[in-house]
């Protein structure tokens, strides 16, 4: 039986984790969940929101499913997510954004995969106050990180039968940093003659995405543009309740929804488990359990086709009722 780390999070995390475990169990796939609590709830007892045991569990199991955790404001703790990405070198942030049946959005046929570089760029955290009225942030782009993220995007495209990879930069202005990212993309792209290539400037991309998003397939971006564009793409398909994500490195992978711990609806049986479920489906594909992943995906799609929704998508089902509907469809 496959052992997988489950960080069940806080806020709505435990409720949606229960839902996803029940759905996977109903599919017939047996998983030995190594449940590790993290976040606000363990700070008092363990002194940190990310105890060493959580990292050790992921290092042992290689793969984790993660529900959201609260980042306490003003207590001096670094975000659990940022710490995880750093400690496990999860260099690729993957955000597939695809329309779901009957979820009302402005466009149909959106099926975009955003691949965001997760370790450098303006997120390297190199800032300084020059004087009282001036501050600087350094944008770091390296050949090693740019080549590996381009390679990741092309490998993903090949593995998932995607047709095109489009690189997004502002290389006309930042000729050295974004220029290097673009140059690395061009070099790597030569290794994948079967995949079409496209280059676009980030401002033009944003306009095109809100006018005609179905023209895009796989996008690969440096960290900051990737962060912004992936939220834009989440908005195209119905927002937080359905936006999935993953952080992937050479040795480890952590799959998680985009949304946070939603303390405003905690323990009210209102949370939508779809984003965590879609993240889990992507995780099952990643570990090679594609058959089960597709089985669960079909049941989820069928549930949406029946217009069965939680409140955030305009329905009236509780988390547990929505979960039961998916299980019935399996
Ligand atoms: P949030 O995503 O938790 O909530 C924003 C709004 O969306 C709320 O009204 C919430 O009820 C709703 N919402 C979110 N997920 C939902 C779901 N699955 N079903 C139905 N409604 C949902 O963002 P917020 O309030 O800014 O952050 C709350 C906490 O979560 C903060 O401490 C933040 O640091 C943390 N956070 C954690 C993340 C993670 O662990 N990956 C990611 C983002 C935020």
């Amino acid at each position: 039986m496959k052992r997988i780390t489950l960080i069940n999070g806080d806020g709505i995390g435990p409720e949606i984790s229960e839902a996803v475990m029940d759905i996977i169990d109903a599919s017939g796939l047996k998983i030995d969940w190594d449940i590790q609590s993290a976040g606000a709830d363990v700070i008092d007892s363990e002194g940190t929101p990310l105890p060493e045991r959580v990292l050790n569990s992921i290092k042992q199991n290689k793969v984790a499913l993660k529900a959201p955790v609260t980042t306490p404001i003003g207590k001096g703790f670094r975000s659990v997510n940022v710490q995880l990405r750093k400690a496990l070198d999860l260099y690729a942030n993957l955000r597939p954004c695809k329309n779901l049946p009957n979820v009302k959005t402005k466009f149909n046929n959106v099926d975009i995969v955003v691949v965001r570089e997760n370790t450098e760029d303006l997120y390297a955290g190199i800032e300084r106050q020059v004087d009282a009225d001036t501050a600087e942030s350094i944008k770091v782009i390296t050949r090693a990180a740019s080549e590996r993220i381009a390679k990741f995007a092309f490998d993903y495209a090949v593995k998932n039968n995607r047709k095109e990879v489009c690189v997004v930069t502002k290389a006309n202005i930042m000729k050295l940093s974004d220029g290097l990212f673009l140059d690395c993309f061009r070099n790597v792209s030569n290794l994948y003659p079967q995949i079409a290539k496209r280059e676009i400037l980030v401002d033009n991309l944003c306009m095109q995405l809100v006018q005609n998003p179905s023209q895009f397939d796989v996008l690969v971006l440096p960290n900051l543009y990737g962060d912004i564009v992936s939220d834009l793409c989440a908005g195209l398909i119905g927002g937080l309740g359905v936006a999935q994500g993953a952080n992937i490195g050479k040795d480890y992978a952590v799959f998680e929804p985009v949304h946070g711990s939603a303390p405003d609806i905690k323990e009210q049986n209102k949370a939508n488990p779809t984003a965590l479920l879609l993240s889990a489906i992507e995780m099952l594909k990643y570990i090679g359990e594609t058959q089960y992943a597709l089985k669960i995906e079909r049941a989820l799609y069928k549930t949406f086709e029946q217009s069965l929704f939680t409140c955030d998508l305009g329905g009236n089902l509780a988390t547990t009722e929505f979960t039961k509907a998916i299980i019935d469809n399996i």
Side-chain angles (χ1 to χ4, degrees):
M1 202 188 311
K2 179 85 190 155
R3 191 166 163 84
I4 293 176
T5 303
L6 174 70
I7 301 173
N8 60 354
D10 52 43
I12 59 168
E15 304 162 54
I16 57 175
S17 298
E18 264 323 299
V20 168
M21 283 191 289
D22 287 350
I23 292 166
I24 293 178
D25 194 53
S27 77
L29 178 65
K30 298 301 164 209
I31 287 183
D32 177 13
W33 296 107
D34 180 5
I35 299 179
Q36 297 284 335
S37 44
D41 292 352
V42 305
I43 293 175
D44 284 344
S45 54
E46 302 188 53
T48 163
L50 184 63
E52 203 57 32
R53 62 172 166 75
V54 182
L55 286 174
N56 290 339
S57 162
I58 302 174
K59 284 179 182 166
Q60 207 160 41
N61 299 324
K62 313 281 187 213
V63 177
L65 182 64
K66 179 182 160 297
V69 295
T70 304
T71 300
I73 297 171
K75 285 197 187 168
F77 289 108
R78 285 178 62 209
S79 145
V80 167
N81 304 309
V82 174
Q83 283 189 63
L84 267 180
R85 281 171 207 169
K86 265 225 140 68
L88 302 173
D89 193 23
L90 305 173
Y91 67 86
N93 183 248
L94 183 68
R95 295 248 198 117
C97 296
K98 191 175 172 191
N99 280 124
L100 290 159
N102 287 334
V103 176
K104 293 208 179 4
T105 54
K106 286 207 161 56
F107 302 98
N108 299 317
N109 306 321
V110 175
D111 185 3
I112 299 171
V113 177
V114 179
V115 178
R116 163 187 166 197
E117 202 288 322
N118 226 359
T119 65
E120 53 182 32
D121 192 358
L122 278 162
Y123 290 43
I126 309 171
E127 287 195 301
R128 73 181 184 114
Q129 194 77 40
V130 179
D131 59 39
D133 302 315
T134 314
E136 285 178 348
S137 284
I138 308 279
K139 176 173 166 116
V140 180
I141 301 285
T142 65
R143 184 174 297 282
S146 304
E147 281 183 353
R148 75 175 173 172
I149 198 69
K151 192 164 183 319
F152 181 94
F154 278 103
D155 285 341
Y156 182 91
V158 170
K159 202 166 158 220
N160 293 277
N161 292 318
R162 314 292 301 211
K163 303 279 173 287
E164 181 188 90
V165 178
C166 174
V167 66
V168 183
T169 65
K170 190 76 185 168
N172 56 332
I173 303 295
M174 279 158 280
K175 295 181 196 299
L176 296 182
S177 53
D178 280 14
L180 177 58
F181 192 85
L182 179 59
D183 187 49
C184 291
F185 171 85
R186 287 176 178 163
N187 289 342
V188 169
S189 74
N190 291 330
L191 305 172
Y192 300 85
Q194 72 276 41
I195 305 287
K197 293 98 195 167
R198 183 171 170 186
E199 299 175 4
I200 194 165
L201 298 176
V202 65
D203 39 358
N204 184 19
L205 171 80
C206 290
M207 187 194 67
Q208 303 276 344
L209 278 172
V210 297
Q211 286 199 319
N212 177 19
S214 54
Q215 63 180 298
F216 294 104
D217 191 344
V218 177
L219 301 175
V220 60
L221 314 88
N223 209 339
L224 176 62
Y225 309 143
D227 193 3
I228 297 166
V229 166
S230 55
D231 271 31
L232 192 164
C233 290
L236 291 173
I237 56 151
L240 285 177
V242 297
Q244 60 166 310
N247 294 293
I248 299 178
K250 187 167 76 61
D251 301 313
Y252 313 109
V254 177
F255 294 79
E256 62 175 343
V258 170
H259 64 73
S261 56
D264 53 332
I265 55 166
K266 172 186 176 179
E267 287 166 7
Q268 294 174 31
N269 203 12
K270 278 187 187 165
N272 185 354
T274 301
L276 184 64
L277 183 61
L278 287 168
S279 309
I281 290 170
E282 195 70 24
M283 177 190 78
L284 295 182
K285 290 179 187 166
Y286 176 86
I287 62 169
E289 297 289 359
T290 310
Q291 239 185 316
Y292 290 100
L294 295 177
K295 189 172 175 184
I296 296 168
E297 196 170 60
R298 275 196 299 273
L300 173 69
Y301 274 54
K302 191 165 171 205
T303 309
F304 281 132
E305 279 155 13
Q306 295 162 330
S307 290
L308 297 173
F309 296 118
T310 44
C311 310
D312 57 306
L313 294 180
N316 56 8
L317 294 192
T319 311
T320 44
E321 292 167 327
F322 180 69
T323 304
K324 183 171 179 309
I326 298 171
I327 290 173
D328 288 347
N329 282 330
I330 289 176

